[in-house]
C-alpha cells in the first residue's frame, strides 16, 4: 500500500519538515518494524534528511545551493525552471528510513525535509512501508 502525504509549499524555494507527517503515517499503519520508503514524484522538488534542531542549517543548505546553481544562470530549458530541476537532481527524489518499535530510526538531530525548488505549489510525497515480521 502507498500512502500519499500532501504538501503545500509557500515559497519558490523551501525546506519543509515532514518528519511528523511520516511518523503519523507509520502510527496509522501500525508498523512496529520495517523500512519506510519515501518518493517525491516531481522533477523540481526533492527530499533529504538533515539537522532539524537548528534552522540555520537548512538556511545554509539553501544559500549554498543557490551559489552552486544560481537562478539567473545560462540555461536552455524554455520553462525557466532549470535551476529547480538541477537542485532536485542533486538532492534526490527518494530516501528510506528504518523503523524499530514503531518509531523512525532517525538520529537525534535529524529531520526529513521535502525540498521545494519551484514553488509555491501543491505537492505530494509517496510513502511505502515494508513491514518486517
Amino acid at each position: 500500500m502507498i500512502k500519499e502525504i500532501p504538501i503545500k509549499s509557500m515559497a519558490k524555494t523551501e525546506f519543509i519538515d515532514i518528519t511528523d507527517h511520516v511518523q503519523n503515517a507509520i502510527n496509522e499503519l501500525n508498523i512496529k518494524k520495517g523500512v519506510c520508503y519515501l518518493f517525491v514524484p516531481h522533477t523540481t522538488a526533492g527530499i533529504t534528511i538533515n539537522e532539524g534542531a537548528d534552522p540555520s542549517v537548512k538556511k545554509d543548505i539553501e544559500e549554498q545551493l543557490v551559489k552552486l546553481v544560481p537562478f539567473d544562470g545560462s540555461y536552455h530549458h524554455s520553462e525557466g525552471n532549470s535551476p529547480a530541476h538541477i537542485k532536485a537532481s542533486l538532492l534526490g527524489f527518494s530516501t528510506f528510513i528504518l523503523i524499530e518499535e514503531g518509531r523512525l530510526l532517525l538520529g537525534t538531530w535529524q529531520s526529513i525535509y521535502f525540498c521545494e525548488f519551484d514553488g509555491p505549489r501543491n505537492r505530494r510525497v509517496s510513502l511505502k512501508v515494508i513491514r518486517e515480521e
Side-chain angles (χ1 to χ4, degrees), residues 1-131:
M1 182 179 104
I2 296 175
K3 183 168 182 57
E4 299 290 334
I5 299 172
I7 295 170
K8 182 170 180 57
S9 64
M10 305 302 281
K12 183 172 187 70
T13 300
E14 186 177 5
F15 280 51
I16 301 169
D17 186 341
I18 62 168
T19 310
D20 288 343
H21 296 289
V22 176
Q23 182 62 60
N24 289 341
I26 299 304
N27 296 346
E28 288 172 18
L29 295 168
N30 197 29
I31 306 295
K32 298 302 177 198
K33 189 173 188 175
V35 180
C36 174
Y37 294 95
L38 300 172
F39 176 71
V40 174
H42 307 287
T43 61
T44 57
I47 194 161
T48 193
I49 297 173
N50 214 301
E51 181 169 335
D54 181 354
S56 65
V57 172
K58 70 179 182 177
K59 183 177 172 76
D60 287 341
I61 294 170
E62 288 181 60
E63 288 177 359
Q64 293 307 309
L65 284 171
V66 169
K67 287 181 183 178
L68 285 172
V69 187
F71 292 110
D72 60 353
S74 176
Y75 303 108
H76 303 283
H77 182 48
S78 63
E79 289 182 28
N81 61 353
S82 283
H85 288 288
I86 295 166
K87 290 171 188 174
S89 290
L90 288 171
L91 267 65
F93 303 98
S94 64
T95 192
F96 69 91
I97 304 108
L98 302 176
I99 304 164
E100 285 289 335
E101 298 178 8
R103 305 294 305 164
L104 296 166
L105 278 185
L106 292 168
T108 302
W109 309 113
Q110 289 182 319
S111 292
I112 306 163
Y113 288 102
F114 176 87
C115 309
E116 175 65 77
F117 298 116
D118 195 26
R121 291 181 185 246
N122 290 316
R123 304 286 202 164
R124 70 183 194 274
V125 172
S126 300
L127 176 149
K128 183 170 182 81
V129 175
I130 307 300
R131 184 187 310 253

